[in-house]
Amino acid sequence: MTRKVILDVDPGIDDAVAICLALFDPRLEVVAITATGGNVSPQQATVNVQTIVEQLDPPRWPRLGAAPLDNPLPADNRQMHGSDGLGNANFPVASLHNMHPAEKVICDEVRAAPNEVTIICLGPLTNISRAMHRDPDLLSLLGGLIICGGAVGVSGNVTAAAEFNVFCDPLAARWLFRAPLTKTLVPLDCSRQYSMTLDQFDQLPPETTRAGKFLRQILPCSFRSYRQNRGMESIYLSDVVTLVAATDPELFELEGMAGDVEIDGEITTGATVFDRRQEREWRNNMDVAMTMQKTDVRDKIIGGLIRAGELT
């Protein structure tokens, strides 16, 4: 039986790779892909979601949701993803008019299949928070939430204290951390245990397939950016690791934790804080992936992308 999922994304090259993996995974039914600002502006995120799906042309197209335009971002990540978020590949894309807002698409799809839909959050949590405020009953209708974001025992990646996705909308993150729903967090502590090497890039599908051509057009920008900005010869794909945590949770060690988000600190806004004292005062409110079986996760990622090539 397939698992119904919504991908909420801010594409971004790593989001695009995760979408590619999800659309051709026979265990998943991607009912919707919703855009949010983050790595790029909200307008560009909406265009990129459509572009990715058009380039991959899966057998079943998901519904697409447009990013909200009224949520200013404190940062973006174009220095790592290119000015268009997709490695400056300049893909052609048809103009779509009257695309439904992301929060409406989320509400519609969750209500259409109560307790069956899992949302995989690969960007700032704006859309999810808005959907829950728009329709408070969604809290009891959602099958689960899997979040790429935060940091437990490592430094942030946008400030010394904060991880990018949480930093972009800390109010939304705090609300969802505190909300009474089943959720799993994949923080930097876990997601950075895997990075894609050039050897793994060489194993991707050939350019004669749609998936292979697409991946080989966008990923070189990431390798260049990581080398120029971070002195690394491999690239982190946190969103892709989070997708694997959704499809293959047995490869991850989860720990129940009590987490919250700092929203007012002068140098700590967006920091995720966990009560890890011996005598805790906070109640656990999420499962947190702290470690993973790195080799198996790598094999799942490469194998899934090869499968995408075989199906395109």
Side-chain angles (χ1 to χ4, degrees):
M1 182 177 177
T2 59
R3 181 182 187 184
K4 295 179 185 294
V5 299
I6 295 172
L7 305 180
D8 189 64
V9 298
D10 62 332
I13 292 170
D14 53 343
D15 301 76
V17 178
I19 291 169
C20 181
L21 205 60
L23 286 175
F24 298 98
D25 190 321
R27 298 168 296 176
L28 299 180
E29 179 186 350
V30 182
V31 297
I33 303 176
T34 50
T36 185
N39 285 320
V40 291
S41 69
Q43 297 94 328
Q44 188 68 53
T46 298
V47 171
N48 286 0
V49 163
Q50 183 187 346
T51 299
I52 293 163
V53 176
E54 283 190 4
Q55 289 297 311
L56 295 172
D57 192 21
R60 182 185 183 278
W61 276 46
R63 286 187 68 188
L64 307 181
L69 302 180
D70 59 347
N71 190 51
L73 296 169
D76 64 43
N77 219 358
R78 287 177 294 172
Q79 77 277 8
M80 301 302 292
H81 297 271
S83 60
D84 66 350
L86 295 176
N88 298 320
N90 296 315
F91 295 110
V93 61
S95 296
L96 281 185
H97 300 286
N98 302 319
M99 188 184 296
H100 288 304
E103 62 191 82
K104 181 184 186 307
V105 172
I106 291 169
C107 292
D108 289 349
E109 294 301 324
V110 172
R111 280 204 165 272
N115 303 308
E116 294 181 19
V117 177
T118 299
I119 304 178
I120 303 174
C121 309
L122 304 180
L125 296 168
T126 306
N127 288 334
I128 319 305
S129 174
R130 287 187 176 212
M132 299 298 177
H133 281 93
R134 175 180 179 139
D135 186 351
D137 288 341
L138 288 190
L139 284 169
S140 62
L141 298 175
L142 188 62
L145 201 64
I146 300 174
I147 301 169
C148 176
V152 179
V154 300
S155 62
N157 62 352
V158 64
T159 71
E163 179 274 335
F164 181 84
N165 286 344
V166 176
F167 177 79
C168 280
D169 196 339
L171 281 171
R174 167 175 274 195
W175 191 87
L176 284 166
F177 273 37
R178 294 181 174 185
L181 54 83
T182 301
K183 49 190 170 288
T184 299
L185 186 75
V186 183
L188 293 175
D189 311 63
C190 179
S191 63
R192 285 194 164 181
Q193 292 171 27
Y194 167 76
S195 60
M196 177 180 279
T197 63
L198 286 168
D199 287 344
Q200 293 166 38
F201 175 80
D202 289 339
Q203 297 175 44
L204 296 180
E207 290 191 6
T208 52
T209 67
R210 285 196 304 274
K213 182 178 181 181
F214 176 69
L215 294 168
R216 290 175 181 274
Q217 284 180 278
I218 64 173
L219 280 167
C221 175
S222 279
F223 280 98
R224 288 193 298 271
S225 297
Y226 271 82
R227 186 182 306 114
Q228 293 168 1
N229 295 304
R230 299 182 181 178
M232 293 174 56
E233 296 298 326
S234 60
I235 60 174
Y236 292 129
L237 295 172
S238 294
D239 293 339
V240 183
V241 171
T242 301
L243 184 76
V244 177
T247 57
D248 299 274
E250 71 279 2
L251 301 181
F252 295 77
E253 182 178 342
L254 302 180
E255 182 179 343
M257 289 191 186
D260 208 335
V261 177
E262 176 59 65
I263 60 173
D264 294 321
E266 181 179 350
I267 58 175
T268 57
T269 294
T272 45
V273 181
F274 297 86
D275 189 349
R276 307 182 76 188
R277 294 172 289 183
Q278 187 171 359
E279 296 183 5
R280 299 181 184 179
E281 296 182 7
W282 303 355
R283 291 185 179 181
N284 287 355
N285 56 6
M286 67 185 75
D287 290 325
V288 180
M290 291 301 293
T291 61
M292 64 181 179
Q293 299 174 34
K294 178 180 174 180
T295 300
D296 291 335
V297 170
R298 177 201 64 199
D299 292 345
K300 291 288 184 183
I301 292 169
I302 301 303
L305 295 175
I306 290 173
R307 178 177 58 239
E310 293 170 348
L311 296 173
T312 59

